[in-house]
């Protein structure tokens, strides 16, 4: 169903289901003119043109997206809006995403201004609860009112933030004044900031816990080796932490040099076991990301229990490369429970148990671990299912949606506004409102049947990304046809068959690249269904004989499929048919996986181990998802059980006796 045929019905539906949004909109307004005004308002909001927003707002009264227009207007001048106007907005658009979004901004405003009376009045009404800064302000307000030590909750929120933040920093600062044990959390924040090259984070944290040390940070950051050479003693806790920061900085630049430095006698004797273990974790992680065989030994120098969870993940990866299964077990055991229960580490723990010991008890425990995650849902779930001797089949289709279930989705104001916004070109706004309506409007989100109905609605409107992502949120029920739709099937299958590609592989890749959004464009400039870069498109068009290709054609469906599949076939052939290597090349460029597979003499390993060791987070996730997608699509297309393991194979250096083709691939 195309949007062009149903826009008016959505506008009418928005008017009839949300009567406060001016019920006669569809009859009394020129839809296209009002849409244009809304787009103008969206741009004015981005530029914070308050006067233009105020002038345009009356022109969209009654529009299905009026809540967005009213939100933009009030949000842009929230610092000067009066409480009566704000409460009128909350009342008029009660229950909407826009109400909750504005309340989050208001809570941040109250928190920054330390207006705890107003904050505590509004916070219980905030439904999304997905803003960590708001969460930290709430924890600070709780501590100020009751004196409770909520350091653990602040730590959970703060250490996960990438950038410097006032809410969590303020909570940490107050807790430090009242509970000196909070200092460890603040120094951990500084360590993570240094490790991730975020100097503002480091500066903010050190400014809280040791303001007198701020003058030393620039020297540590710019030349950690010199700072360490000049520092002979580190007996005081703050000095040890500064030395740790310098070692961490050095490790990010040169893990081998950092390993030599921390092994010096003065750091062996003066740093604590916890401090040394954390630094060894950073050294090991950086070495592992370089695929160094020495990484596992670096990790072994520290105490896993004192390392950060990201260090533990990389310790497992490094140990897997070398087949050190006891180290795999030890690192997974040291993980926090939530991390340990992720399917990735459940699978590798089970594999390690089978490799490390052949006792009946170990086999039984491994079997239980595999059984706890086995399904068709994802990469490790599928591998676990195969370890149990079962191939990957399409799950039984759930019972058809009832008319009542479909009607409930059709009448949902948030879903309708989201679809209308996406069609207008306000994709970011539409996606946010859709996600709020399915996941956050009520605590815990929609139940499985409601999610299936919402996904069905998105599928029928051909908004494939919302169709897929919504269906993926179901907990007990799986509708494989929703999760793995096959738009443009005739074109994809015909082109794939023509050049000898598995259509399931093509679909698995498109699903991950663009979610079938034809005009999708990435932050680096890749375009279309198969997310092809302009230079790659030009090169591939020549290679496959696509004459008269022009750059603007890349978003044309058939052209994008022809170029994307043509390039994928060339990449796959250059990697001797290895789907994991080709997927990595498609995402990160062919030069990187050539390096990651190792040179002559490097070990040959299970492709699952190779994939888990891909240094780039995005590419690692991409390879696993493309291969899991491919397996599910193959089961749907053929109607036969499939094997992920067969598609993975084993990966090692290219045979020195074979010709290395595809070296000119962009």
């Amino acid at each position: 169903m195309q949007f062009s045929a149903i826009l008016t019905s959505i506008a009418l539906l928005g008017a009839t289901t949300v009567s406060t949004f001016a019920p006669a909109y569809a009859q009394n307004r020129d839809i296209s003119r009002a849409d244009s005004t809304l787009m103008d308002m969206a741009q004015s909001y981005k530029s914070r043109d308050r006067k233009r927003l105020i002038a345009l707002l009356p022109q969209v009264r009654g529009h299905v997206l009026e809540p967005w227009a009213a939100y933009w207007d009030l949000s842009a001048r929230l610092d000067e809006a009066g409480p009566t106007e704000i409460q009128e907005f909350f009342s008029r658009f009660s229950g909407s995403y826009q109400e909750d979004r504005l309340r989050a901004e208001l809570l941040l405003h109250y928190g920054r201004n330390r207006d705890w009376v107003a904050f505590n009045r509004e916070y219980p009404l905030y439904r999304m609860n997905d803003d960590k800064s708001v969460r930290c302000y709430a924890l600070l307000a709780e501590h100020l009112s009751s004196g409770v030590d909520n350091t653990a909750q602040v730590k959970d929120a703060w250490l996960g933030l990438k950038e410097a933040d006032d809410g969590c920093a303020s909570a940490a600062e107050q807790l430090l004044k009242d509970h000196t044990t909070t200092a460890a959390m603040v120094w951990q924040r500084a360590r993570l900031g240094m490790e991730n090259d975020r100097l503002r984070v480091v500066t903010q944290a050190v400014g809280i816990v040791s303001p007198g040390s701020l003058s030393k940070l620039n020297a540590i950051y710019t030349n950690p080796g010199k700072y360490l050479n000049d520092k002979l003693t580190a007996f005081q806790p703050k000095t040890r932490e500064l030395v740790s920061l310098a070692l961490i900085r050095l490790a990010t630049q040169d893990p081998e040099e950092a390993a030599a430095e921390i092994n010096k006698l003065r750091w062996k004797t003066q740093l604590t076991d916890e401090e040394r273990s954390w630094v060894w974790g950073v050294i090991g992680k950086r070495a592992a990301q370089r695929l160094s065989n020495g990484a596992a030994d670096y990790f072994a120098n520290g105490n896993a229990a004192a390392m950060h969870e990201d260090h533990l993940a990389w310790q497992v990866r490094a140990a897997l490369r070398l087949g050190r299964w006891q180290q795999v077990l030890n690192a997974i055991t040291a993980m926090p429970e939530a991390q340990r229960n992720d399917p990735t580490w459940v699978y590798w723990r089970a594999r390690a148990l089978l490799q490390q010991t052949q006792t009946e008890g170990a086999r039984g425990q491994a079997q239980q671990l595999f059984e706890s995650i086995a399904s068709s849902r994802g990469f490790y779930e599928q591998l676990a299912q195969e370890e149990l001797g079962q191939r990957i089949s399409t799950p039984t289709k759930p019972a058809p949606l009832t008319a009542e279930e479909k009607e409930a989705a059709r009448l949902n104001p948030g879903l309708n506004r989201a679809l209308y916004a996406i069609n207008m070109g306000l994709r970011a706004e539409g996606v946010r409102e859709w996600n709020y309506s399915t996941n956050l409007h009520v605590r815990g989100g929609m139940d499985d049947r409601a999610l299936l109905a919402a996904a069905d609605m998105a599928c029928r409107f051909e908004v494939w990304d919302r169709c897929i992502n919504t269906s993926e949120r179901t907990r007990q029920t799986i509708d494989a046809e929703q999760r793995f739709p096959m738009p443009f099937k005739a074109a994809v299958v015909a082109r794939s068959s023509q050049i000898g590609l598995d259509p399931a592989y093509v679909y698995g890749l498109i699903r991950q690249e663009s979610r079938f959004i034809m005009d999708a464009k990435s932050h680096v400039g890749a375009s279309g269904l198969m997310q092809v870069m302009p230079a790659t498109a030009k090169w591939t068009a020549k290679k496959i004989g696509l004459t008269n290709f022009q750059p603007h054609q890349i978003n044309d469906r058939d052209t994008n499929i022809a170029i994307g599949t043509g390039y994928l076939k060339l990449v796959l052939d250059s990697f001797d048919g290895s789907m994991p290597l080709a997927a990595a090349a498609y995402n990160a460029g062919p030069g990187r996986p050539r390096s990651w597979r190792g040179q002559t003499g490097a070990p040959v390993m299970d492709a699952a181990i190779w994939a888990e060791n891909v240094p780039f987070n995005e590419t690692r996730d991409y390879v696993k998802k493309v291969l899991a997608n491919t397996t599910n699509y193959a089961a749907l297309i053929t109607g036969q059980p499939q094997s992920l393991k067969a598609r993975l194979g084993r990966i090692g250096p290219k045979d020195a006796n074979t010709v290395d083709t595809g070296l000119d691939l962009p």
Side-chain angles (χ1 to χ4, degrees), residues 354-373:
L354 291 177
Q355 293 288 337
Q356 189 65 14
T357 176
Q358 291 299 313
T359 66
E360 192 65 32
R363 286 195 295 271
Q365 188 179 0
Q367 170 111 353
Q368 289 178 349
L369 289 169
F370 287 136
E371 288 174 349
S372 72
I373 63 170

Side-chain angles (χ1 to χ4, degrees), residues 140-215:
L140 174 56
E142 178 188 47
H143 173 73
L144 290 171
S145 65
S146 68
V148 64
D149 182 2
N150 47 24
T151 301
Q153 294 95 313
V154 172
K155 180 179 179 180
D156 286 343
W158 196 29
L159 296 193
L161 287 173
K162 292 182 178 180
E163 304 296 340
D165 158 84
D166 178 69
C168 294
S170 298
E173 186 171 16
Q174 185 63 48
L175 284 164
L176 183 62
K177 291 177 182 177
D178 300 337
H179 303 277
T180 56
T181 55
T182 303
M185 170 188 70
V186 184
W187 282 115
Q188 283 185 14
R189 174 71 170 164
R191 293 176 187 178
L192 290 170
M194 189 65 80
E195 180 180 341
N196 293 301
D197 197 19
R198 298 186 184 277
L199 188 57
R200 287 188 65 237
V201 169
V202 183
T203 302
Q204 184 185 57
V206 173
I208 292 170
V209 74
S210 182
S213 301
L214 285 173
S215 60

Side-chain angles (χ1 to χ4, degrees), residues 437-620:
S437 300
T438 57
N439 310 344
L440 299 169
H441 180 65
V442 296
R443 189 174 296 278
M446 292 180 173
D447 62 29
D448 279 8
R449 296 296 295 181
L451 286 168
L452 290 175
D456 174 73
M457 182 177 176
C459 292
R460 287 185 289 109
F461 280 40
E462 297 182 6
V463 183
W464 299 112
D465 62 325
R466 293 309 91 204
C467 165
I468 293 167
N469 289 18
T470 305
S471 191
E472 278 194 328
R473 288 189 61 83
T474 57
R475 303 158 188 85
Q476 303 298 325
T477 305
I478 296 178
D479 187 330
E481 291 181 4
Q482 276 188 353
R483 293 190 180 202
F484 300 95
M486 287 182 271
F488 329 119
K489 187 173 182 179
V492 170
V493 172
R495 178 62 184 172
S496 300
S497 301
Q498 181 183 346
I499 61 175
L501 271 179
D502 180 356
Y505 188 42
V506 176
Y507 266 118
L509 186 140
I510 296 176
R511 184 183 188 271
Q512 189 59 26
E513 283 286 350
S514 68
R515 287 293 199 260
F516 304 101
I517 301 170
M518 284 201 293
D519 60 352
K521 191 161 188 175
S522 75
H523 68 281
V524 295
S527 297
L529 285 173
M530 298 192 71
Q531 290 290 277
V532 184
M533 293 291 289
T536 303
K538 183 178 180 181
W539 180 90
T540 306
K542 289 182 179 179
K543 203 77 173 176
I544 65 175
L546 189 62
T547 57
N548 301 318
F549 170 74
Q550 299 296 320
H552 69 270
Q553 295 175 298
I554 195 60
N555 282 328
D556 172 75
R557 185 196 72 184
D558 291 343
T559 302
N560 192 276
I561 291 172
I563 290 176
T565 55
Y567 181 72
L568 181 60
K569 174 63 173 172
L570 291 168
V571 169
L572 189 65
D573 288 347
S574 77
F575 285 102
D576 305 315
S578 170
M579 287 186 176
L581 283 168
Y586 200 96
N587 179 260
R592 292 189 175 98
R594 286 195 197 105
S595 171
W596 296 338
R597 73 189 299 184
Q599 304 305 312
T600 302
V604 177
M605 64 188 72
D606 286 353
I609 293 177
W610 179 87
E612 191 55 50
N613 274 275
V614 168
F616 295 174
N617 293 339
E618 178 189 319
T619 305
R620 184 185 328 114

